[in-house]
Amino acid sequence: MELRLSGKTALVVASSQGLGKAIARQLVLEGANVMITSRNEEKLQEVEQELRDLHKGKIAYIQADITKAEDIRRLVQKTVDNYGTIDLLVNNAGGPPAGTFETISDEDWYHAFELNLLSYIRVIREALPYLKKKGGKIVNIASSSIKEPIPGLILSNTFRTGIVGLTKTLAAEFAPYNILINTVAPGRIATERVAFLDKINAEKLGISKEEMEKRMKSAIPLGRYGTPEEFANVVTFLLSEANSYITGQSLIIDGGMVKAI
């Protein structure tokens, strides 16, 4: 299968670690020119050097806080200044804090909205004029909570489902421009975020982190956590020329964990 990503320009948000980094790496390996971003410049420098050493597609970075509209404008503009356009967009953001309804403040709600939903809206808005020129692909990263709410993650459960509504609506609005947009939702992928959540849940239950991981893996039919590379492979396909007819869909990558139909 020919993905035909060589020479394409991709903006991958929240890409200094975890899923974002894995996606950026896979795109570079396929010959795409990639702009990475996060708030942590030190990590961005490390990732930039690592991906440059692959000697495939071009790589650049810009430090940005995606809860700030001005940073998003700078991010999109620098991507265009570097590469001339934007063909591919991956919206991603770190997960909001854990908590229940009674422990979450108004400030927490506002911040989660800005980080996990409004940032996606803003990045798409800024990138849209370039995507409309020749058509393009957008992938919005969400969570398996779009199908089955996760206890203790009310902020994620609320705003991740908003991403699904946004994606489905924009699929119809953007179709005349040949822009395909999809939501991809990770289950238990072996990232720092999942390790952190396992640690929190283990402390609540008074068990070791290792025991927590064992219990979580027992609920996954494949019996293990996924790897960031496995997740990135699916996203890369959806961004590629091999995908020409999938849009407005929500795909969960979870080893069969979610029981909802």
Side-chain angles (χ1 to χ4, degrees):
M1 182 182 295
E2 294 292 332
L3 299 183
R4 301 195 299 278
L5 285 167
S6 182
K8 297 285 188 180
T9 294
L11 170 56
V12 184
V13 180
S15 40
S16 64
Q17 63 182 14
L19 300 179
K21 176 185 173 182
I23 294 166
R25 184 178 191 277
Q26 191 59 44
L27 289 171
V28 168
L29 285 171
E30 293 294 336
N33 302 321
V34 180
M35 178 67 75
I36 58 174
T37 183
S38 80
R39 290 177 297 176
N40 190 321
E41 186 163 14
E42 183 177 349
K43 283 188 176 180
L44 286 170
Q45 290 174 344
E46 292 173 359
V47 174
E48 181 192 36
Q49 186 58 55
E50 177 184 335
L51 300 190
R52 181 175 286 118
D53 288 346
L54 296 174
H55 301 294
K56 297 290 185 178
K58 296 178 181 178
I59 182 70
Y61 79 84
I62 179 173
Q63 183 184 29
D65 181 347
I66 58 170
T67 65
K68 298 178 180 178
E70 180 56 36
D71 278 23
I72 288 173
R73 284 191 287 270
R74 285 194 304 105
L75 169 61
V76 170
Q77 188 59 55
K78 182 167 182 179
T79 303
V80 174
D81 290 345
N82 267 43
Y83 299 130
T85 191
I86 296 174
D87 303 300
L88 315 170
L89 171 61
V90 179
N91 267 315
N92 185 34
T100 62
F101 183 79
E102 291 183 302
T103 64
I104 300 296
S105 67
D106 277 5
E107 183 179 355
D108 294 327
W109 281 106
Y110 281 119
H111 181 70
F113 168 64
E114 289 180 325
L115 178 65
N116 297 112
L117 184 56
L118 185 58
S119 70
Y120 286 38
I121 294 166
R122 285 170 166 166
V123 176
I124 293 171
R125 181 190 295 133
E126 293 297 324
L128 185 58
Y130 306 101
L131 292 166
K132 286 170 67 175
K133 291 180 179 180
K134 295 182 180 179
K137 308 284 173 56
I138 303 171
V139 170
N140 292 325
I141 308 302
S143 160
S144 63
S145 63
I146 64 173
K147 289 289 285 185
E148 186 175 315
I150 301 171
L153 292 181
I154 188 171
L155 293 173
S156 180
N157 296 341
T158 300
F159 294 113
R160 303 297 196 185
T161 52
I163 293 170
V164 175
L166 175 69
T167 299
K168 196 68 174 178
T169 303
L170 294 185
E173 291 189 11
F174 292 175
Y177 307 113
N178 195 32
I179 298 171
L180 280 59
I181 179 170
N182 292 285
T183 299
V184 180
R188 307 294 293 186
I189 308 295
T191 62
E192 292 181 10
R193 165 72 172 175
V194 168
F196 173 71
L197 292 175
D198 282 347
K199 180 175 180 293
I200 289 177
N201 290 328
E203 290 171 354
K204 287 180 180 178
L205 295 173
I207 59 176
S208 68
K209 181 173 176 289
E210 290 72 24
E211 176 60 26
M212 190 71 241
E213 286 184 10
K214 182 178 178 181
R215 293 186 186 184
M216 295 305 301
K217 289 175 181 178
S218 70
I220 302 172
L222 289 183
R224 62 178 178 84
Y225 288 174
T227 68
E229 293 74 22
E230 288 173 312
F231 185 86
N233 287 340
V234 177
V235 174
T236 301
F237 165 76
L238 289 173
L239 292 169
S240 77
E241 293 298 300
N243 171 31
S244 58
Y245 204 59
I246 302 172
T247 191
Q249 302 307 305
S250 298
L251 180 60
I252 299 178
I253 304 172
D254 68 343
M257 179 184 68
V258 171
K259 303 301 188 289
I261 294 174

